[in-house]
């Protein structure tokens, strides 16, 4: 028969074991330095994917303007900068070859192929290779048009992407041209050879350059969410908590925040307060790191 002292001793040991197990569980769920670093790395890769896919927005809208496939928010035709749109193929000042079929700007649907060949570097230092193929049911700034973008051996600053980037413009009275953006079946191969999948749904809301006859002064606020997955880090989800500010005169996002969830860890990426640079800050737990953006 166990004595009272023995029973008390056993109860104490059980309590210590329970506390120990609970402490171990809490430690594995907490944001330890190693976990924070891994989450930061995954978030940086997810952000790179988002920015590289949204680079298509800049390329398509700018190429459409040069191809006379755009109208401004007041309905006027955007200047083609003296380019002859009846020509089916021509080279832009940036060095890409744009081919439009059919060439007649009034006939839709049509296909626009933007070919960067073995590599063209933009004035802002973005290196693009391969082709973007754009199918348009109507002009780029006409509500209800469907602009579907696919890729052929295409990369941006060493990030090769595949999938479908869809843009649907809508006109908002007194606001300008907004776009609903969807990335489906997205995949990305990063410069280090790592492969991942990507999907996202975003809204581009025009807040600058409204009513002007060019896109060069346009500014957009981006809201929405996206998801990134690779076999080594698993799935990371992202929600834009403060609109990302995207202007035509800067290759990078200038402000806004993204909330990330990596398994049970939560973090935030901050693009800053408006300076045009390629830096952002990611924080997970007690770990904060400045990252260089993909473009």
């Amino acid at each position: 028969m166990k004595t009272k002292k023995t029973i008390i001793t056993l109860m104490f040991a059980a309590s210590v074991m329970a506390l120990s197990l609970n402490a171990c569980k809490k430690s594995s769920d907490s944001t330890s330095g190693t976990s924070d670093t891994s989450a930061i790395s995954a978030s940086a890769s997810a952000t790179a994917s988002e920015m590289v896919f949204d680079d298509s927005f800049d390329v398509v809208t700018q190429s459409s303007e040069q191809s006379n496939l755009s109208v401004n928010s007041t309905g006027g035709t955007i200047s083609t900068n003296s380019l002859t749109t009846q020509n089916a193929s021509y080279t832009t000042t940036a060095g890409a070859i744009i081919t439009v079929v059919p060439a007649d700007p009034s006939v839709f649907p049509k296909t626009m192929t933007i070919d960067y060949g073995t590599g063209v570097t933009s004035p802002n230092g973005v290196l693009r290779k391969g082709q973007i193929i754009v199918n348009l049911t109507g002009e780029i700034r006409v509500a209800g048009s469907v602009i579907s973008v696919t890729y052929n051996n295409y990369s941006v600053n060493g990030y090769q992407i595949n999938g479908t980037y869809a843009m649907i413009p809508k006109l908002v009275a007194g606001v300008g041209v907004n776009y609903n953006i969807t990335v489906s079946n997205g995949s990305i191969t990063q410069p280090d050879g790592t492969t991942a999948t990507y999907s996202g749904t975003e809204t581009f809301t025009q807040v600058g350059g409204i009513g002007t006859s060019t896109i060069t002064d346009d500014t957009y606020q981006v809201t929405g969410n996206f998801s990134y997955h690779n076999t080594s880090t698993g799935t990371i989800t992202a929600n834009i908590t403060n609109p990302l500010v995207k202007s035509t005169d800067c290759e990078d996002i200038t402000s806004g925040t993204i909330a990330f969830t990596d398994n049970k860890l939560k973090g935030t990426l901050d693009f800053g307060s408006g300076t045009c640079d390629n830096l952002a800050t990611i924080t997970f737990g007690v770990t904060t790191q400045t990252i260089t953006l993909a473009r």
Side-chain angles (χ1 to χ4, degrees):
M1 179 180 295
K2 294 183 177 68
T3 65
K4 183 176 181 180
K5 181 177 180 181
T6 302
I7 293 173
I8 291 174
T9 301
L10 291 172
M11 290 175 63
F12 177 75
S15 298
V16 170
M17 182 176 292
L19 287 171
S20 177
L21 290 172
N22 186 61
C24 289
K25 182 178 185 300
K26 183 176 181 181
S27 176
S28 65
D29 290 347
S30 67
T31 54
S32 65
T34 302
S35 295
D36 291 346
T37 302
S38 176
I40 285 174
S41 177
S43 298
S45 295
T47 302
S49 299
E50 192 272 344
M51 297 193 71
V52 169
F53 271 102
D54 276 345
D55 178 75
S56 301
F57 180 86
D58 296 341
V59 170
V60 172
T61 53
Q62 292 169 18
S63 298
S64 296
E65 176 172 317
Q66 293 182 4
S67 304
N68 199 23
L69 302 181
S70 305
V71 295
N72 64 23
S73 56
T74 60
T77 301
I78 287 177
S79 170
T80 61
N81 298 321
S82 300
L83 291 173
T84 303
T85 56
Q86 296 303 316
N87 291 341
S89 183
Y90 57 88
T91 303
T92 68
T93 54
I97 298 175
I98 298 179
T99 304
V100 180
V101 180
D104 187 336
S106 65
V107 177
F108 287 90
K110 65 169 75 261
T111 299
M112 175 174 64
T113 301
I114 308 162
D115 191 349
Y116 291 95
T118 57
V120 175
T121 301
S122 75
N124 291 322
V126 179
L127 174 61
R128 301 179 178 95
K129 298 180 180 181
Q131 296 179 329
I132 288 184
I133 298 96
V134 188
N135 293 303
L136 306 98
T137 65
E139 293 173 331
I140 194 79
R141 288 190 171 189
V142 171
S145 295
V146 177
I147 300 95
S148 182
V149 181
T150 54
Y151 309 95
N152 178 23
N153 198 30
Y154 180 72
S155 65
V156 180
N157 283 347
Y159 292 82
Q160 184 166 334
I161 59 176
N162 282 290
T164 300
Y165 185 91
M167 304 166 52
I168 300 178
K170 60 179 182 178
L171 299 180
V172 180
V175 175
V177 185
N178 298 345
Y179 293 88
N180 292 327
I181 307 290
T182 303
V183 178
S184 55
N185 300 316
S187 66
I188 186 164
T189 301
Q190 299 174 122
D192 64 0
T194 303
T195 60
T197 58
Y198 175 89
S199 61
T201 301
E202 296 177 338
T203 299
F204 281 47
T205 301
Q206 189 176 8
V207 295
I210 299 169
T212 63
S213 60
T214 178
I215 67 168
T216 56
D217 60 354
D218 287 355
T219 300
Y220 291 89
Q221 289 186 345
V222 182
T223 56
N225 55 77
F226 55 93
S227 177
Y228 170 92
H229 175 85
N230 71 36
T231 54
S232 61
T233 61
T235 299
I236 185 165
T237 57
N239 182 54
I240 298 172
T241 47
N242 289 301
L244 311 183
V245 176
K246 180 181 182 66
S247 59
T248 307
D249 61 356
C250 182
E251 291 290 342
D252 297 298
I253 301 297
T254 57
S255 63
T257 57
I258 301 175
F260 287 104
T261 301
D262 182 3
N263 295 316
K264 295 183 179 181
L265 304 178
K266 296 185 181 299
T268 301
L269 182 144
D270 189 342
F271 285 94
S273 57
T275 302
C276 180
D277 59 31
N278 63 347
L279 302 176
T281 301
I282 299 181
T283 301
F284 270 84
V286 297
T287 305
T288 297
Q289 183 174 320
T290 298
I291 65 167
T292 301
L293 303 172
R295 50 139 286 176

